[in-house]
Structure formats: structure tokens, C-alpha cells
């Protein structure tokens, strides 16, 4: 598995820099009791342990104020043991996510959500790449898919996935179309795609009828059904019949997101 290989490499590199006295440190802040967020934070913690990073978790109550959260981030900005700060999203409604993200200094913004890092991605001269899009690019590279001149269609325009994904594909000379909830003839647009990235947040919305024969389908979605099953935004059983390649859920993109976060944490520690 690609994600495992990346983590193994990071483990080796970490052992080397530890001998020089550098221990990469990641602080993860979670506010409230969202079960999905809890499970993501646990996976991140486990990855830190596996690779040998120093990690610290702050589990704050739902009623934490924006000021309290910002004060904690400011404290971590100054903390020499911490190289990366991650605030698990979504935050409770009374907290302005943008304000909190903007408080993280760009050098410790391992999610690459700070406007300074977003701007660098746009220009193509970056320190960190956002974890999910970068993980997807790594999967594409591993699968030896040449993006040059390919038509890549993304469903979803979030700041976390859709928009940065479009930039990374563009940097690889793909022709990129971004779709969203107001897109007309969504199915027809998707059927034009050589590479279809689905980040819509709607369980199994995209079936074979959206997919061109032989297209590469990347399913970013993570949705928990009422029967407890975890599914993507793509109807895998239907889609795999026409797709040339397809990522599964679970597996696929999720583990790559965490592997990239770990990579970014090492980068932050080395830069310091
Ligand atoms: P958002 O809810 O922020 O964005 C969803 C996007 O999909 C929006 O741009 C929205 O359009 C668009 N959309 C919604 N409904 C439709 C529709 N019927 N037709 C076309 N477009 C539609 O989600 P995220 O980007 O944060 O996440 C997307 C999915 O990826 C989720 O399932 C999430 O859990 C998962 N995820 C997985 C990660 C991983 O590591 N694998 C990491 C991050 C997210 P509009 O802008 O017009 O509202």
C-alpha cells in the first residue's frame, strides 16, 4: 500500500534526524464530540506513534470559546516541541473556522489551510500541500497516470479538497473542470472526464452513468450509512464496471491524507 510505504520512509528519516536531536512534533486540537472527527484524530495519533513523532492531543469541550481556542493556538505557535498544528474541522458553529486557521503561523500550518499557504499553492511554489489533494496526486503518480492534456473533472469546490485539487492538476498540465451544486448537466460533464475526482459529500451519488469507459475515478468521500457501513461518494460496485481504475472507500484516499499530513510535519520540523 502506498500510504504504508510513505509512513515507512518517514519512520526511517525520523530515526535519522532523531539522532541529531530533532523530534518532529504534531499538536492536534479537537473541539466537541463529533464521532467522525474523533476517529480521524485517533488515526493521526496512531500514525505519529508508528513513525516516531512527538504528538500532543488537546480534546476540548464543545462549549470552548473562539478566544480560548485562539489562545491555545497562539501558545502552540511559540512551542518549540511542536512543528505542526492541526485543528480538526469542522469546529462547533459558534467558532469561526477561518479566524482560527488564520491564527496558526504558516510555518506550522501542516494542513496548508492558511491563506499564505493557499496563495503559495496557487503560484506553484509551496512549502506544504493540502493533505487530501496531495495524497491523491501521490496515488496518481504511483499508478503512472500521465495527466498532461487529460481532462480532469472534479465534483466539489471546497477549500479543503476541490479548489486545491484543481490547482495541483493544473500544475501537471491537465485541463481542469470544477463542478458544484449549481453545475448544469453534471452527468454529461463528468462523462467527458479522463480523470474524475469526486468530493461531494453525498453517499454513492456517482454511479456508472457518470463515468466514461476506462476513466480513472478517485473517490474522496467518506460517509457513514445508518447501518454503520462506511461508503464513498461513488457507488463502487456500479462504477468499477466502467472505470479503468478506481479508488475504494475505505482505503484509497483516506490513508493517503494521513500519510501526507505526516510528511508535512517532517517538512515543518526540518525547515525549523
Ligand atoms: P463540502 O461539503 O465542503 O463540499 C462539497 C462540494 O460538493 C461543494 O462544492 C458542493 O457544491 C458540491 N455538491 C454538493 N452537492 C452536489 C450535487 N448534488 N451536485 C454537484 N455538486 C454538489 O465537502 P468536502 O470537500 O469537505 O468533502 C467532500 C467529501 O470528501 C466528504 O464526503 C468528506 O467526508 C470527504 N473528505 C474526505 C477526506 C479524506 O481524507 N478522504 C478529507 C476531506 C473530506 P456547492 O459549493 O455549490 O455547495
Amino acid at each position: 500500500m502506498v500510504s504504508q510505504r510513505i509512513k515507512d520512509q518517514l519512520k526511517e528519516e525520523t530515526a535519522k534526524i532523531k539522532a541529531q536531536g530533532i523530534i518532529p512534533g504534531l499538536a492536534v486540537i479537537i473541539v466537541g464530540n463529533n464521532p467522525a472527527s474523533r476517529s480521524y484524530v485517533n488515526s493521526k495519533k496512531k500514525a505519529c506513534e508508528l513513525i516516531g513523532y512527538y504528538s500532543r492531543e488537546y480534546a476540548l469541550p464543545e462549549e470552548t470559546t473562539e478566544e480560548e481556542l485562539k489562545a491555545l493556538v497562539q501558545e502552540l505557535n511559540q512551542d518549540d516541541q511542536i512543528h505542526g498544528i492541526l485543528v480538526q474541522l469542522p469546529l462547533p458553529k459558534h467558532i469561526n473556522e477561518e479566524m482560527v486557521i488564520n491564527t496558526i503561523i504558516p510555518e506550522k500550518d501542516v494542513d496548508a489551510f492558511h491563506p499564505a499557504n493557499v496563495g503559495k499553492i496557487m503560484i506553484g511554489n509551496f512549502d506544504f500541500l493540502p493533505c487530501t489533494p496531495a495524497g491523491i496526486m501521490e496515488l496518481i503518480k504511483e499508478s503512472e497516470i500521465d495527466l498532461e492534456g487529460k481532462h480532469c473533472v472534479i465534483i466539489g469546490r471546497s477549500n479543503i479538497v476541490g479548489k486545491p485539487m484543481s490547482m495541483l492538476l493544473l500544475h501537471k498540465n491537465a485541463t481542469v473542470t470544477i463542478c458544484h451544486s449549481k453545475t448544469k448537466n453534471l452527468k454529461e460533464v463528468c462523462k467527458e472526464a479522463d480523470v474524475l475526482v469526486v468530493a461531494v459529500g453525498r453517499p454513492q451519488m456517482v454511479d456508472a452513468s457518470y463515468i466514461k469507459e476506462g476513466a480513472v475515478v478517485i473517490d474522496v468521500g467518506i460517509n457513514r450509512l445508518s447501518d454503520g457501513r462506511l461508503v464513498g461518494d461513488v457507488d463502487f460496485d456500479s462504477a468499477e464496471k466502467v472505470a479503468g481504475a478506481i479508488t475504494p472507500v475505505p482505503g484509497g484516499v483516506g490513508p493517503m491524507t494521513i500519510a501526507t499530513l505526516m510528511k508535512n510535519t517532517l517538512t515543518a520540523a526540518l525547515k525549523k
Side-chain angles (χ1 to χ4, degrees):
M1 217 162 128
V2 191
S3 59
Q4 190 55 50
R5 220 191 46 233
I6 294 173
K7 284 190 276 187
D8 289 344
Q9 277 167 2
L10 291 172
K11 193 174 173 176
E12 263 179 49
E13 284 175 52
T14 302
K16 277 188 210 147
I17 63 166
K18 267 188 174 171
Q20 298 159 27
I22 305 168
I23 305 172
L26 178 70
V28 180
I29 305 174
I30 174 170
V31 185
N33 302 310
N34 181 329
S37 294
R38 182 71 260 165
S39 124
Y40 299 143
V41 167
N42 287 347
S43 305
K44 288 163 189 174
K45 219 162 102 183
K46 233 168 84 187
C48 282
E49 278 164 21
L50 184 115
I51 296 169
Y53 292 170
Y54 170 68
S55 79
R56 221 186 281 158
E57 182 192 308
Y58 294 86
L60 307 180
E62 181 84 22
E63 55 278 8
T64 302
T65 65
E66 191 175 299
E67 286 64 36
E68 286 167 336
L69 184 54
K70 279 171 68 180
L72 172 59
V73 170
Q74 274 156 354
E75 200 182 300
L76 293 169
N77 280 340
Q78 305 299 325
D79 188 327
D80 284 339
Q81 274 187 306
I82 298 297
H83 304 99
I85 303 170
L86 183 145
V87 179
Q88 185 64 48
L89 303 180
L91 290 170
K93 296 236 171 337
H94 65 276
I95 299 178
N96 181 332
E97 286 185 354
E98 202 181 327
M99 293 286 272
V100 174
I101 287 165
N102 292 359
T103 310
I104 302 171
I105 52 169
E107 295 79 1
K108 295 193 179 186
D109 170 39
V110 283
D111 257 337
F113 292 163
H114 189 285
N117 286 324
V118 174
K120 285 183 173 180
I121 293 157
M122 190 97 170
I123 294 162
N125 175 20
F126 36 74
D127 303 311
F128 305 118
L129 284 175
C131 300
T132 301
I136 293 171
M137 293 306 284
E138 197 64 38
L139 277 181
I140 290 175
K141 190 172 136 204
E142 278 293 321
S143 311
E144 297 181 354
I145 294 162
D146 182 13
L147 290 169
E148 188 160 308
K150 296 279 164 60
H151 187 192
C152 299
V153 175
I154 304 162
I155 322 182
R157 57 172 163 181
S158 70
N159 291 334
I160 296 173
V161 187
K163 282 186 210 164
M165 188 72 234
S166 70
M167 280 301 130
L168 301 193
L169 291 168
L170 200 57
H171 292 326
K172 293 290 175 198
N173 296 324
T175 301
V176 183
T177 302
I178 309 176
C179 303
H180 46 78
S181 66
K182 307 289 184 290
T183 298
K184 297 213 163 66
N185 308 323
L186 180 67
K187 231 180 231 193
E188 286 70 22
V189 178
C190 292
K191 268 211 119 134
E192 300 273 305
D194 301 309
V195 177
L196 180 64
V197 180
V198 189
V200 76
R202 294 184 183 270
Q204 299 171 312
M205 183 184 107
V206 171
D207 62 15
S209 65
Y210 286 72
I211 301 163
K212 180 166 82 176
E213 186 84 39
V216 173
V217 178
I218 294 162
D219 188 358
V220 184
I222 301 180
N223 310 284
R224 179 79 62 187
L225 297 183
S226 52
D227 64 6
R229 266 188 314 138
L230 208 59
V231 297
D233 293 344
V234 175
D235 178 356
F236 187 90
D237 292 343
S238 150
E240 77 162 340
K241 295 193 175 84
V242 279
I246 181 166
T247 62
V249 177
V253 175
M256 291 303 292
T257 299
I258 294 178
T260 310
L261 171 71
M262 296 297 123
K263 216 167 160 176
N264 285 350
T265 304
L266 182 69
T267 304
L270 290 175
K271 270 192 162 289
K272 175 127 195 307

